[in-house]
Every structure is written in C-alpha cells, then in structure tokens.
Amino acid sequence: MRVTTFVLSVAFFVAAISLSPPATAAHKFYTSFAQIEYNDERETVEVALRVFGDDMETVLTRRHGKAIRIGKTEDAAKVIFAYVADSFQLQNRDGAAKKFEWVGMETKGDVAWLYFETKMPEGLTGATLRNRILLDFSDEQVNIVHLRHSGQKADLVFKANDSDFKKCF
Amino acid sequence: MRYLAALVVCLVAAASLAFAQTKSQPSDKFRQLEEILPTPNEYRAASGAPGHRYWQQRADYAINVELDDAGQRIVGSETVTYYNNSPDSLNYLWLQLDQSIFAKDSDAVMTQVAPDLRPPPAPPTSGWDRSPSAPLPQVPFSTIDRTLAQSTFDGAVRVTSVRDARGNPLAHTIVRTMMRVDLHAPLAPGQSTAFSIDWNYNINDARRLGGRGGYEFFPKDGNYIYEIAHWFPRMAAYNDVSGWQHKQFIGSGEFTLEFGNYRVSITAPDDHVVAATGVLQNPQAVLSQPQRARLEQAKTATQPVLVVTPNEARQNEASKPKGKKTWVFNAENVRDFAFASSRKFIWDAQLHNVEGNRVMAMSFYPKEGNPLWERFSTQAIMHTLNVYSRYSFTYPYPVAISVNGPVGGMEYPMICFNGPRPEEDGTYSANTKYGLISVIIHEVGHNFFPMIVNSDERQWTWMDEGLNTFLQYRSEQEWETNYPSWRGEPKEITEYMASESQVPIMTNSESVLQFGNNAYAKPATALNILRETILGRQQFDFAFREYSRRWKFKRPMPADFFRTMEDASGVDLDWFWRGWFYTTDHTDISIESVQLYALNTGNPEADKTMTRKGRAAEPETLSQQRNRALPKRVDQFPTLKDFYNTYDELVVTERDRAEYQKFLATLNDRDKELLSSGLNFYVVNLKNIGGLVMPVIFEIVYADGTKEEMRIPAEIWRYNNSEAAKMIATKKEIASISLDPHLETADVDMSNNSFPRRPVRSRFQLFRQQTTPNPMQQLERKQTPTTPSNP
C-alpha cells in the first residue's frame, strides 16, 4: 500500500510548560462566541468576541514560550490582539483583508470578552470571514459567529475542519 | 400620543374580525407532555413521587487496595454483597470497569475524530507559528501529546480473579468498560449474593491523558498527588426503566450506581496522607498524636484547624517512606467511593453544624495551592452545605472534603477534586479566585445531585449538572454581592439560545453539542426563570424541595422531576418543559404594533366630533395640495352647486339626537356608565419570533410620567403560538410600552421589545460607552496599541 506522507507543524514553539489547571466544573467544553454588528453611522464593523480565558492563556503561553496571564501579564492585551489578528480574519467582497483595531477587553469568571473593530464603508455584503480562534488549542473547539447588518442576521459556525473563509451575507 | 394610530371603530365590529380567520393553527406548544412521558406505574407514580412498589438494588463493598507509588499502580481485591430487591430473577450481574477507558483500544480512544490536517488555504497574516516558506498544516499540541501518551500507556483494568463466596471461580466476560459475571444459579427476588474480585491497573497521568481521576507528578520535588476514582469494579445499576444500565463509558456520560455500605482499607507509603469518602476508622494507627489532637480541636474550632501543617507537609515531601500504612474508612449509604493520597498534602478541618448534622469539612492541598486553598476551600465547603441544605434537604453525611490535584473539577460522595491554583509566586487573578470558589461550590454541591438524588448521568447529564449549576448560582450569590457568576442569569444565555449548532436538553449525555451550555447553563437558567418569573420563589422552592426529598437516596428519571414540580406547585408546566427541555426554541417576542381604539358612545355630538377630528388629522395628499389652488368650475358657474355642495354629514341633526335618546332609553345604568367612562383601548400586537412560549412582561409608561408593570402568563399564546394581541384598557394616555424590562426571560433580541422602537446598544457599544472602566480595563487600555504589532 502506498501512503502519501504530509509534513505537519505542531502549533507551538517551545516544549510543554507546566500550566495551572483550568478552573472548570466536571466537564471541559470549548466554544467561542462572536457578535459582529455593522454600525451604519460610523461605517464600522464592531466585534465582541467571547472566549474562555484559561484556554486563551494556554495557547498564548505556548506561542510565546512564557506564561501569559490575562489581567496579570503586562502586555497581555497586545499579545491577545496579535493572536486575534492572526486567527480572526475578515475580507471584503473583493477579497481584501480588513485590519482590526483593538478597543478593549473585560473578564467575567473564566470568560473574557474581547472588543475590536474595523472601518468598512463598503459594508459586509459579500464579505467573508474565517474564525480559527483556539482551533489550534482543541479539536473540540467550536466558534460561533452571530452577524447583524442593516436588519439582516446570519450565523456562522467554525469547527476544527473549517479552514475556509465563509460568506457573511 | 403621536405614535399610536388613533382609530375610531365600533369595538364589536373589531372583535368580529377575529372570526374571519381560516382554520386555526394547532396549539402544539401547549400539548400535554403525557404523550411523550412514560406511563406512570406502581414504581413511578403520576405525581412524580416514587410509586408504592418502588425498588432499587443495593451493593455493599469490603475492599483492600494498595497504592503503588513506585509504579503508579492500583492493586485491589474486593468482596461485593449484592441485594436483588427487584421483582426479577437475575442470571448474571454487570459491573463497570470505567478505568478501562484508558485501554489502548477503548471506545473513547477509537472513536476520537481526527483533527483537521489540511494545509491552511490562505497565507498567514503574520509569521508567528509558521515557517516563512510554505504554510504547513497545524495540529494542537495537546492532540499530539495525548495521542502519543495514548499509544504508549495501557490503562486497562486487569481482572485476575472472580470467585463466589466459597472461593470457586465464576465465569466472567469483559466487554470493554463493562464486565458480566455469570452466576451459578439465578439470583431470585429478595435474595443476595456475595462474590470477590481481584484486579489491578496502571494509573493515568491526568495532566497528559485527562480523566476524572489520575496522578500529577511534581518534577521539582519528585512527588505525586493521586486522585483515585472509578478504581474498583462497581456494580452497574439495575432499575425499572433501563434494566441494566451498562451503556459503555466513552467519557462524557459520567455514571450512576447503587447505594450501599463500604469498608475500604487503603495501603499507601507511610509518609502519605490519605483523604477518602467516609470516616477514618483508625486515626491512632495512621496519624501522629499531635495530629489527632488537632483533629479533636477542629471539632470545636470557629475556623479551619491545620491537622497536617505546611511544615509537616514540607518534611513529608523531602522524606523517603520507611514502610506502609493502612488507612481504614467506613462509608454508609453512598453510591461510590473515591480517595486521594500524597505526601504533599496539607490538611485543614473544621466541624460544621448543618441544620443539626455535625459535618467535618476538610481540605487537602499541596503547598502549590496556597495561599488560595488555606483561605477559601473549607469555607466554600461549609457555605455550600448551608445553602444546598436549605433548598433541598439537610446534608446527611459526616464529612465533606475538597482536594487539590490534577483534576479540574470532579465529584464523588463526600469528596471532590478541584484544580485551580495560584501562580508560582503566590499571586492570583480574580478569575482564579472565583474559579476556585465556584468549582468547589459546584463539586461539593454534587453531593446532593447526583450523589444522593441518584439521577443517571450516563443517560441524562442535565439532571444533576443542570440542577447543581442552578444551586451553585444561588450559593455564589449568597457568597458575596455581585459575585461574578457566569451561569444562571437569563441575559447570559441569550447567545447560546440563539445559536444554530445545538440540541435539546433532553439528549443523551454522549451526543450533547455545546456541553456546558446545553447541560449546565441552559437548565440552570431555565430553573432560575421558573423560580423568579413563572412560579415565584415560594412556590418554586416548595416544589424543588419536595422533589429533592422524594428522591433522596433514590433514582429519579426526567419525568419524575417534571411531574413533581407540577404536582407540588399546582401549575401546569408542560409547555415549559416542552419548550425548554425538548426543543431548541429561544425567546424572542416582538411588539409588532400598538393600536388605539376609542369607544363608539352612540352620542352623535361626541362621535361626529371625533370623526371630524380624525378626518382633519389625516394628511393631505400631494395632489390634493397642488389641486387646491386650481380654479374650479362650480365656482365659475355657481348654479352648478346644489344641496350636496353644502351638506355636511358630520353636522348633528335633530334626528340624530332623537335616535340617541331612543338608544339611551334602552340602556341600564351600568351600560351608561361604561359608555361615558372615557376609556382608551390599546391593542398590543405581539409576535413570537423565537418560538419559545414565555410570559409577556410589559412596562407601560403613561403620558403623565407614571409607570405600570403588567405580567401576563405564557398561556396568552395558547390559542396561537406565534401571534397574540393584548388589550389594555386605561383612562390614561400611553406614551410607550416595553417588553421584559428586568431581563428575566432570556429574550435574545431586545431591539424589537419596545413601542415606539428604541435603539438597543450592542455589547460592543455598551463597552465602548462605559464612562468608568474597571481597573483591569484601565490597565488594558493604557497598555494597548491601536494596531497589532507584527513581529
């Protein structure tokens, strides 16, 4: 039997680092949720993204080879946003990548809400999105995206095997 | 009020329009649940209580086990005494070997789905993780590590002997995580049988392989913490609903077992400290004299007393064992037994009086858990016992233990394993602190559901996780004001409720999507809504306590819960269970329009004036405006004008007045009073967009600035599940109406909840407009660049 060999890269730079255990109750689950709203007045796409803080910390710690703790590490927001910019990608109807600007973050329990936006006068019609947040953390991760644009609504779901851009509207 | 269309119509005429519909839609959402629920019988009554012939099996265990610290193994032998209280003869018995989930070829391992290994389709925007030349497919580190560990680790349970009471071998067959033992003769109803099993297995590294128990290795001092669970062959449940509950253990559906008494002797290295389900029987053999004195002191202490101090734990860490010690525990009326063992353990204890039951609350943790654990763990245990006992039944066991180790959070009778620890430097974030308190409340709370109210988690996760998360929320809110609970409040569940990829709560444990939202947060929120909005606190608490007490030390099924809550509250909740537990509908009620109806009094003076006003209020069309100035032929030739050019139908005639007097003469005083009341009739047209039928809660603001709340039960939807109209009769003028003003129904779209429509700010906009950011946000905002840096 002939088997094709593929080369794999492992999504981390440094060897395993001892991490504090996640604060979960009996079952661990892996979901992120994003609300994307188009602001007609400001012509911006506004994103509120909910993730589990401990999962985010684990991924960022691996990425940077040093412990990253939300609310403790000095440049945590910068590090988080660099990761978001890599994993949460929006293209306009012509396929041009949109660059997000960081607005801020807040935490509640083990949940962190991240806020960012981008100017987009051309609107979301025909735009495409790829949300690979934390898909490099667990193969059970599910990313749900809720979109609203001038009275229209849409839902997108990204799972481990979704590496394609998906059409917003 | 200019927003509402002022219409003058006869009310009788308007009502008759309702009959002009075609055939009505069936009111499915209010169909009785008895079509779905199992038929009540003598084992399970229609009231939701155990039936008059309810039965359950019983299993007692005597176990000797040795923890091999050098080889990370468990070696055990047990004698099980099994009582057949069922009306059935049993030819064979089934036991669980759940630890065999760590066999190399277990269902859990074999049915894992592959990660996506296709290369990413678009080039990366920055070069963080990827080689600059070609984009390689990525795979999570944890997946590789777990796969590697699974391929080298054999954690299957090896059963070395199964013998009857006389020592003769019994035939047995292992089916992955289950084992069937064939009896020499059928076990008749009312009889019991005893048999013995010897077994051993390798303990899993819980950090690499996961698991609901396992070990954690500390490279710095070379020691282990063991959290040992699912560790002995346990009698599978046999009951009137599923027969043998021997669904394979794949990982999510935890377990259900039989109640019984345990005597367990645990042999461990002599420098280990052991914590277990039950009461220690031989403190003089395993504890030093000062330790025994401190344990005694804990019985009258007002704060936790250190039984093993940090100093002693440090000495143990550095020591080498000189031999072994055997710790003996007795536990009565429990459905399982777990223990933890380590030379790293610090141990604190405080005797706590729970409604008259004296409970030793204890925590076991390594120095790595401090300063969090010494401060919060035992306090959180006592708090949990207080709150849960108040809302269900008095905690009946003599001890309650919380242990820190590799497991994030997992519950067993009287003992639970909780993961959170501070940073190495001893500092911790608020998340870690509240994460720890919450997980301890949750896992200690599991003593009530499902350790005592013995629901079947292999089948229905929500029956314990949902009920427990609900009480966890209430315990958190009694810990401190504005405790950051993230499950329980209706407004926190709306995103999940609106999401696409979900299944009903009534889904088997292993097939649930979005596990935490489905089986924890949604049922917890549903119960909170049932308590606050539908039944009220008093009615709900009475019914919930009744359910807890009816099924304490028994095995309830979903129908028993649904039926008891109705039986005790006196409210038909079938629509609620149907909507929240059997569908994925969500709440989204919209105020589509509001109409104002005035009463046709029959008085020509009043009615014709109102009609005139109404006509005058109608806008002039564009053509009418432009035609106004055109010269008209009748003005040019006035002879063309006749009676109709001056006739005004709205001038009140003598005939009108006479008719009105005739009409008045036919009315009685009450009719007359009604006609002259000056009432406005507002009809609020509602649409049920989300599908879930829920109460309609109006906040009405009048033109004079006063407010009124109107709470309408969900039955307003009983004739038509998707549209309803509510009439509000008032002498006052209404300025605005809004739905769900206190955010109690989990309405996912607030933008259609007001009339006139009000813009609703998104979470993003609310965040942006916060005038006073919290300390963390200030920090984050200060340090954040406006664009990402691309290294």
Side-chain angles (χ1 to χ4, degrees), chain A residues 5 23 28 44 52 59 69 71 113 132 138 141 158 164 168:
Chain A
T5 311
K28 183 74 186 140
T44 49
F52 284 108
V59 160
R69 292 287 175 267
W113 280 95
R132 295 193 50 81
S138 165
Q141 178 77 25
F158 296 86
D164 298 337
C168 297

Side-chain angles (χ1 to χ4, degrees), chain B residues 128-393:
Chain B
W128 275 99
D129 296 330
R130 296 152 191 161
S131 71
S133 51
L136 287 176
Q138 295 202 350
V139 58
F141 167 74
S142 60
T143 307
I144 294 286
D145 190 46
R146 193 179 61 217
T147 308
L148 190 71
Q150 278 165 353
S151 65
T152 52
F153 176 74
D154 183 6
V157 177
R158 276 182 288 271
V159 173
T160 52
S161 147
V162 181
R163 290 172 191 280
D164 66 14
R166 294 200 184 109
N168 298 319
L170 278 168
H172 58 279
T173 306
I174 292 175
V175 185
R176 303 193 291 284
T177 61
M178 294 286 158
M179 175 169 77
R180 193 188 73 232
V181 173
D182 299 337
L183 301 173
H184 297 309
L187 184 64
Q191 284 190 347
S192 68
T193 183
F195 58 96
S196 303
I197 302 176
D198 297 343
W199 79 96
N200 62 73
Y201 69 85
N202 297 316
I203 303 168
N204 54 302
D205 179 345
R207 290 265 167 206
R208 293 183 70 197
L209 287 153
R212 299 176 185 285
Y215 71 75
E216 174 180 12
F217 177 63
F218 292 76
K220 279 191 185 157
D221 53 55
N223 291 306
Y224 292 82
I225 288 179
Y226 297 93
E227 292 180 324
I228 303 298
H230 303 183
W231 56 281
F232 57 98
R234 307 180 293 181
M235 288 306 309
Y238 182 78
N239 64 61
D240 58 292
V241 173
S242 7
W244 285 106
Q245 172 47 292
H246 50 14
K247 238 176 119 46
Q248 288 290 327
F249 184 43
I250 312 179
S252 288
E254 290 174 9
F255 59 88
T256 188
L257 296 162
E258 306 288 6
F259 287 103
N261 297 338
Y262 286 69
R263 184 175 179 84
V264 180
S265 303
I266 302 164
T267 302
D270 62 1
D271 51 358
H272 268 215
V273 171
V274 179
T277 301
V279 177
L280 180 62
Q281 300 298 302
N282 60 340
Q284 67 295 339
V286 291
L287 300 180
S288 70
Q289 206 285 319
Q291 287 168 346
R292 294 203 299 276
R294 292 177 214 145
L295 199 51
E296 202 53 39
Q297 193 193 326
K299 288 182 181 168
T300 51
T302 53
Q303 55 184 0
V305 171
L306 286 163
V307 179
V308 173
T309 65
N311 254 343
E312 287 169 328
R314 225 172 261 277
Q315 284 164 20
N316 287 344
E317 275 185 358
S319 79
K320 288 273 169 287
K322 293 170 203 67
K324 297 172 186 173
K325 272 183 187 169
T326 298
W327 300 59
V328 182
F329 294 89
N330 270 10
E332 284 174 17
N333 216 9
V334 287
R335 60 158 3 207
D336 195 10
F337 188 104
F339 66 96
S341 182
S342 178
R343 60 175 62 86
K344 290 177 69 69
F345 280 150
I346 299 164
W347 172 4
D348 73 45
Q350 182 184 343
L351 190 79
H352 181 56
N353 186 328
V354 187
E355 300 178 352
N357 184 33
R358 288 151 59 84
V359 182
M360 193 59 95
M362 303 192 278
S363 300
F364 295 76
Y365 42 93
K367 62 177 189 297
E368 286 79 359
N370 275 339
L372 271 176
W373 274 72
E374 61 189 8
R375 186 148 188 200
F376 295 117
S377 176
T378 300
Q379 290 287 350
I381 297 172
M382 295 187 289
H383 175 69
T384 308
L385 298 182
N386 286 349
V387 179
Y388 277 64
S389 294
R390 187 160 6 107
Y391 293 123
S392 56
F393 46 79

Side-chain angles (χ1 to χ4, degrees), chain B residues 751-770:
Chain B
S751 68
N752 57 22
N753 277 27
S754 300
F755 196 91
R757 286 277 188 267
R758 255 178 249 154
V760 175
R761 290 199 189 106
S762 68
R763 181 177 275 277
F764 182 94
Q765 286 157 355
L766 284 174
F767 177 78
R768 183 192 274 292
Q769 283 158 13
Q770 273 170 5

